[in-house]
Amino acid sequence: MSTVGAVDLGNLALSRKEDFQAFVDAPRRTRPEQLNHSQLNALDESARSAYDLARRQWHANLGPICTPQLSSLHEDLWDIVDSNKQDGDKAKGAVAVDAFPGLGKTTAVLAFAREFHRREIAEHGAFTERGHERWPVCRVGLTGNTGMKDLNRAMLEFFGHPGRHTSTAAQLGLQALDCMLLCEVRLLILDDLHFLKWRKTSGIEVSNHLKWIANEFPVTLLKVGVGLADKGLFSEGERGGDTALAQTGRRTTRLDMPPFNVDTEQGRRHWRQLLLALEQRIVLAGSYPSMIADDLSDYLFARSTGHIGSLMTLINRGCERAQRTGAECLTRELLDHVRNDEAAEHARTELEYALQAGKTTSRPRRKRTVR
């Protein structure tokens, strides 16, 4: 098995167990030393190159940040997963994390999976009583062409099973069941579930297959996707959805991750707490207290529209530009030249106008007089 030290964490495929293990066992990143302008300029070429590389890697991996949304999702997941102790003759409840893109769904789910995996290994050991490797978590990514056979093969791909290339769909399913049982998998994550065309034959086929997995596999199914409710994942037959999907809705608990909003004082406080957490993590020679949380609060909310994924992208790219150009500080003028994702750029104009006109604000009441 690969060791963490020998693995490039930027070159992992979490759909394979060795890479997932490297992700789980990776130590907490060490924050680069905070240097001022004089110290930065005193570095020789080699030291400066190494320092800048360390900062690029650090800024690209600032999360996950323990936001209220992430904390709430994790509390619900612990409730559901830890209560799924039913005997083998009973199906376990499933979970669907259904939210818009850019809200940190996958990041939050993987953070939970890492903690769950670590806990299970700490409590039960790295090997089962039969001497097999214990894999508390299996993570599978779906594609738009995923059918029943593809799903079974993807589960076997995680374990590196030799029969994944030659077996029939039914054989693959039974081999996947054997792997889950022997390795005592307890959490099966299906990411990008929205890629399936639920109203098409393959989607209904996979939906029925997921019910078989829920009935036969001693796992909690954790499905992650965008617009799963709109695609009919939870539809009941009497409400116009396909009757083949009705049981899925009854057995699945839907969780979401809402964006940040500044319509309430609590929402504004949560936004400020996020910015303060980011401010403490940024490593730029010209950083200063309130650089983000006060001076850029409204601007960053407009540029990200409250989506943490868009915010993290903007901050990461902004830090890279500030580092590369020698500005070593985040300002509105610098960030104006940094491109963000298309959805955030498209939605920013109206919100930016409202913030600039004073019709709304991202700043908590007690901080509005501070600039």
Side-chain angles (χ1 to χ4, degrees):
M1 184 179 301
S2 301
T3 61
V4 175
V7 175
D8 177 5
L9 294 179
N11 190 38
L12 298 182
L14 298 184
S15 56
R16 296 184 174 91
K17 64 183 180 71
E18 289 83 6
D19 285 0
F20 187 82
Q21 185 71 57
F23 163 75
V24 167
D25 290 341
R28 185 181 297 274
R29 290 181 181 272
T30 301
R31 184 180 187 272
E33 182 183 358
Q34 179 72 51
L35 302 181
N36 59 33
H37 285 287
S38 297
Q39 293 169 321
L40 189 64
N41 293 332
L43 296 176
D44 61 32
E45 183 177 352
S46 177
R48 177 63 181 266
S49 178
Y51 182 66
D52 285 346
L53 173 59
R55 290 197 294 171
R56 287 199 301 273
Q57 293 174 331
W58 172 257
H59 290 139
N61 297 279
L62 290 176
I65 295 175
C66 190
T67 64
Q69 293 92 327
L70 183 143
S71 295
S72 176
L73 178 69
H74 282 195
E75 285 297 314
D76 289 332
L77 288 175
W78 283 118
D79 287 344
I80 296 167
V81 173
D82 280 353
S83 66
N84 273 350
K85 299 296 184 184
Q86 295 88 346
D87 293 336
D89 62 324
K90 304 178 184 67
K92 302 179 187 295
V95 189
V97 180
D98 183 14
F100 288 113
L103 296 175
K105 300 181 302 298
T106 297
T107 298
V109 166
L110 287 176
F112 174 82
R114 175 162 46 193
E115 294 307 310
F116 178 76
H117 185 101
R118 288 174 172 173
R119 190 195 71 175
E120 291 295 294
I121 295 298
E123 290 182 351
H124 304 292
F127 294 90
T128 69
E129 290 186 2
R130 297 182 181 181
H132 298 284
E133 289 181 321
R134 186 184 306 279
W135 289 98
V137 178
C138 173
R139 184 260 176 201
V140 175
L142 277 66
T143 70
N145 296 319
T146 300
M148 184 175 71
K149 186 173 184 178
D150 301 307
L151 176 56
N152 291 341
R153 181 178 289 119
M155 288 189 287
L156 290 180
E157 187 71 40
F158 181 85
F159 294 99
H161 194 285
R164 63 191 184 279
H165 299 303
T166 58
S167 302
T168 66
Q171 290 171 334
L172 290 169
L174 293 175
Q175 290 166 350
L177 174 59
D178 286 341
C179 287
M180 300 285 175
L181 291 172
L182 292 175
C183 297
E184 299 189 4
V185 175
R186 293 294 176 259
L187 180 64
L188 173 56
I189 300 173
L190 302 180
D191 205 354
D192 292 326
L193 201 64
H194 54 277
F195 284 158
L196 291 178
K197 298 178 180 178
W198 288 95
R199 301 300 182 188
K200 303 299 182 181
T201 302
S202 62
I204 296 174
E205 178 185 71
V206 174
S207 176
N208 289 329
H209 190 55
L210 293 180
K211 283 181 281 187
W212 175 75
I213 291 175
N215 288 331
E216 300 298 328
F217 289 40
V219 302
T220 298
L221 272 176
L222 202 173
K223 312 163 194 176
V224 184
V226 176
L228 299 181
D230 294 337
K231 292 182 180 298
L233 177 62
F234 314 108
S235 297
E236 296 292 344
E238 66 270 20
R239 295 184 182 179
D242 196 298
T243 53
L245 303 177
Q247 192 176 35
T248 301
R250 288 294 182 184
R251 288 183 175 179
T252 304
T253 300
R254 180 179 180 272
L255 304 177
D256 66 356
M257 289 193 71
F260 285 85
N261 73 81
V262 294
D263 297 333
T264 66
E265 187 67 11
Q266 182 183 52
R268 291 186 284 270
R269 286 198 301 269
H270 288 165
W271 176 249
R272 178 174 174 78
Q273 289 165 4
L274 170 62
L275 298 187
L276 286 171
L278 283 173
E279 194 172 279
Q280 293 171 359
R281 300 186 185 198
I282 287 175
V283 184
L284 294 173
S287 296
Y288 59 91
S290 79
M291 178 181 70
I292 292 178
D294 288 330
D295 293 352
L296 293 173
S297 179
D298 285 355
Y299 177 82
L300 291 174
F301 189 83
R303 290 292 308 270
S304 67
T305 60
H307 287 61
I308 191 170
S310 299
L311 174 67
M312 299 298 279
T313 297
L314 184 61
I315 293 294
N316 176 26
R317 293 176 182 175
C319 288
E320 170 57 24
R321 182 177 284 259
Q323 175 183 318
R324 188 180 68 253
T325 62
E328 290 294 334
C329 181
L330 294 184
T331 64
R332 175 169 183 150
E333 291 72 24
L334 180 139
L335 292 172
D336 275 341
H337 295 285
V338 175
R339 299 297 298 272
N340 207 358
D341 63 85
E342 181 59 25
E345 295 291 4
H346 180 75
R348 89 186 249 200
T349 304
E350 184 176 349
L351 183 54
E352 200 166 40
Y353 172 78
L355 289 163
Q356 290 176 351
K359 296 181 178 181
T360 188
T361 180
S362 67
R363 299 160 63 78
R365 187 174 295 110
R366 62 187 178 84
K367 286 291 179 181
R368 290 176 199 166
T369 58
V370 179
R371 289 290 181 184

